[in-house]
Amino acid sequence: MAAVDEYMDKADIEARRKALQVFRERFKEIFEQIKRGENPTIMLPKRTLANTIYDEKRKLLLLGPEKLRRSFFDLHESKKFMQTLLMARIIYEALERDEYPTIRDLYYRGKHTIVYREPGGRRHEENTWDEQRESDAVIRDIEVFTGLLREEMLILSKEKGKVVGNMRIRSGNDIIDLSKMGHGAYAIEPTPDLIEFIDVDAEYVLVVEKDAVFQQLHRIGFWKKHKAILITSAGQPDRATRRFVRRLNEELGLPVYILTDADPYGWYIYSVFKIGSITLSYESERLATPKARFIGVSMTDIFGYGKKKPYLTEQERRNYIIKAKDADIKRAYELRNYRWFQTKKWQIEIDIFLNKKAKLEIEAMTSKGLRFLADKYLPEKIETEDWIE
């Protein structure tokens, strides 16, 4: 172990120590229940849509007060109880052994068949879990029970988000200059809380849904000219990207602007950054950025509204607009019913979309010229505060 420790960085060592301590404290009660001859039981907040609430004051999706009682001697809950303890043991052992398992690793480490017989001798087989979605759900239960993000348990996932800008960070034992990434960018690591911000020279954060548009803006030096930290979520954001953005806003005080396609799926990506997701509502306080602003592309950018003039001409609209599909329209109606989309500005956006049945990709703005997007559209919207909150 001494040889291994020589190459391990201090942040990882401290994260392991904290996680192991939390595991011991949280699961000790189950051990005590067994010693007392009681029915071993875990109490968890319900991770259901019905128990998810939108906190108007804090602008976050949060878990409600309802609890789930998971007991070993409850026939309806015993399998889930055993799955939870099995996964907890696997994670605990990985922490002790200085390992970095992925969620796929954890699925395979716990996947096996239990063979048992009835009193009459009939043989039965039961799998611990059949599909990864089962083991993933158990990991989420453990997150809720322990109050730890899986990233804080040093469970790794595929890197997705990327960032570039005039900023230096410490990752592990290395200092990385995000302004010297060449034509590439820094892949946001799956344990973003272990990143230390050393210094930053930027006025705001721009999160771009599309990786291709991110690359274009990076190549022409948008972040240098406009003093921005440029990030892409490459579609639906992963947890690490959301946490990284939250930290830039919360710890460094940088305003956050989100640029997506003008369609219900792009708007939902914005809402995931801003208020959280139903699936991970139990961690919205650490993953969501309530002060994030939607900078576009908006329907009013395309068609105009009131005194606001559109950024596209009639000919450009005919060339660039894509007809909305039934799934897009269905999604728009769903968004309109969410309380966080029931503001005046968002209702206008959704109503225009449903009336026009049209959507637009960010790339349409680059078709007017990449410099139009970089030097007119984005700076102008930020300067005039033409965003939606």
Side-chain angles (χ1 to χ4, degrees):
M1 289 298 294
V4 175
D5 291 343
E6 179 184 349
Y7 297 101
M8 290 178 62
D9 65 83
K10 293 180 180 178
D12 281 14
I13 294 171
E14 180 61 16
R16 288 184 191 282
R17 186 193 65 78
K18 288 182 178 179
L20 285 167
Q21 182 178 351
V22 170
F23 264 65
R24 293 186 194 106
E25 291 173 354
R26 295 299 287 129
F27 286 94
K28 181 181 178 181
E29 175 56 26
I30 299 172
F31 175 69
E32 295 295 336
Q33 290 171 1
I34 295 171
K35 282 178 64 178
R36 293 192 298 264
E38 298 172 358
N39 180 11
T41 302
I42 298 174
M43 297 295 292
L44 297 167
K46 284 187 177 179
R47 294 189 297 100
T48 61
L49 176 60
N51 194 41
T52 301
I53 59 174
Y54 176 58
D55 188 316
E56 291 275 6
K57 186 176 181 179
R58 300 170 67 190
K59 306 297 182 185
L60 290 172
L61 273 179
L62 302 171
L63 275 185
E66 294 183 32
K67 300 286 186 180
L68 173 67
R69 183 183 179 89
R70 185 165 291 166
S71 301
F72 180 63
F73 291 123
D74 183 338
L75 290 178
H76 298 290
E77 295 291 340
S78 59
K79 181 174 181 179
K80 280 287 186 181
F81 178 89
M82 289 186 284
Q83 286 177 328
T84 304
L85 291 193
L86 171 63
M87 182 60 78
R89 189 205 76 194
I90 295 168
I91 295 171
Y92 185 86
E93 289 175 348
L95 287 166
E96 279 199 316
R97 295 168 182 169
D98 296 328
E99 295 177 342
Y100 297 86
T102 66
I103 54 176
R104 189 66 173 172
D105 290 334
L106 296 177
Y107 161 70
Y108 279 116
R109 291 187 190 192
K111 186 178 183 298
H112 59 270
T113 301
I114 299 171
V115 179
Y116 62 96
R117 294 183 184 275
E118 293 181 358
R122 186 177 178 186
R123 188 176 186 272
H124 292 272
E125 292 185 359
E126 184 79 23
N127 293 333
T128 49
W129 40 67
D130 294 307
E131 299 177 2
Q132 187 176 330
R133 61 182 178 81
E134 286 186 80
S135 60
D136 287 354
V138 175
I139 295 171
R140 288 193 289 270
D141 283 341
I142 292 173
E143 287 182 300
V144 173
F145 184 66
T146 62
L148 295 169
L149 289 171
R150 73 180 186 216
E151 292 82 0
E152 293 174 302
M153 306 176 209
L154 298 179
I155 299 169
L156 305 185
S157 57
K158 182 180 179 181
E159 295 169 341
K160 188 179 181 187
K162 294 187 288 189
V163 57
V164 66
N166 195 3
M167 179 180 186
R168 291 191 309 147
I169 64 172
R170 186 189 307 277
S171 177
N173 296 320
D174 299 319
I175 293 176
I176 302 168
D177 190 336
L178 303 188
S179 69
K180 301 185 184 300
M181 307 302 294
H183 291 154
Y186 176 73
I188 299 172
E189 65 179 72
T191 52
D193 275 305
L194 301 185
I195 294 172
E196 178 187 348
F197 299 143
I198 297 178
D199 53 51
V200 59
D201 181 19
E203 295 178 356
Y204 62 86
V205 177
L206 178 65
V207 181
V208 184
E209 173 193 352
K210 297 286 189 66
D211 179 73
V213 178
F214 167 86
Q215 292 182 45
Q216 289 176 300
L217 291 172
H218 177 22
R219 285 292 187 112
I220 64 170
F222 173 86
W223 57 272
K224 297 177 185 176
K225 183 175 182 179
H226 298 285
K227 297 193 72 172
I229 301 297
L230 189 63
I231 293 174
T232 181
S233 63
Q236 191 65 238
D238 64 349
R239 296 161 48 131
T241 305
R242 290 169 58 192
R243 178 59 184 158
F244 189 78
V245 170
R246 166 68 182 247
R247 289 191 61 201
L248 290 174
N249 175 252
E250 185 176 45
E251 297 173 30
L252 302 181
L254 295 174
V256 173
Y257 302 99
I258 313 290
L259 177 67
T260 76
D261 289 339
D263 65 26
Y265 294 94
W267 302 336
Y268 182 71
I269 286 173
Y270 159 74
S271 79
V272 168
F273 271 110
K274 184 179 179 66
I275 58 104
S277 66
I278 293 171
T279 304
L280 295 176
S281 57
Y282 60 92
E283 291 298 356
S284 293
E285 293 179 277
R286 286 186 280 183
L287 297 180
T289 307
K291 295 180 181 179
R293 298 158 173 169
F294 178 78
I295 199 171
V297 178
S298 68
M299 302 306 293
T300 54
D301 291 338
I302 303 167
F303 297 101
Y305 184 82
K307 294 182 180 180
K308 179 179 177 177
K309 295 182 179 180
Y311 281 91
L312 299 182
T313 66
E314 181 63 36
Q315 182 61 48
E316 287 169 338
R317 284 196 290 271
R318 283 198 295 268
N319 291 343
Y320 302 150
I321 278 175
I322 301 171
K323 184 179 179 181
K325 298 179 180 178
D326 290 342
D328 300 317
I329 295 169
K330 179 182 178 182
R331 189 65 172 140
Y333 278 114
E334 291 174 355
L335 295 187
R336 191 161 68 171
N337 290 327
Y338 290 153
R339 286 169 61 190
W340 51 95
F341 277 108
Q342 290 175 355
T343 64
K344 183 178 178 181
K345 285 188 175 182
W346 272 117
Q347 290 296 297
I348 289 171
E349 292 294 320
I350 295 172
D351 286 345
I352 293 174
F353 172 80
L354 291 172
N355 180 49
K356 300 291 186 178
K357 293 182 173 54
K359 58 184 182 178
L360 192 86
E361 295 184 318
I362 306 171
E363 286 87 344
M365 292 300 185
T366 64
S367 294
K368 283 176 66 70
L370 184 55
R371 293 292 176 184
F372 167 81
L373 176 69
D375 296 333
K376 177 175 172 58
Y377 178 77
L378 290 170
E380 188 174 281
K381 295 204 70 175
I382 292 173
E383 183 180 348
T384 61
E385 300 185 1
D386 183 18
W387 59 66
I388 305 176
E389 290 190 277

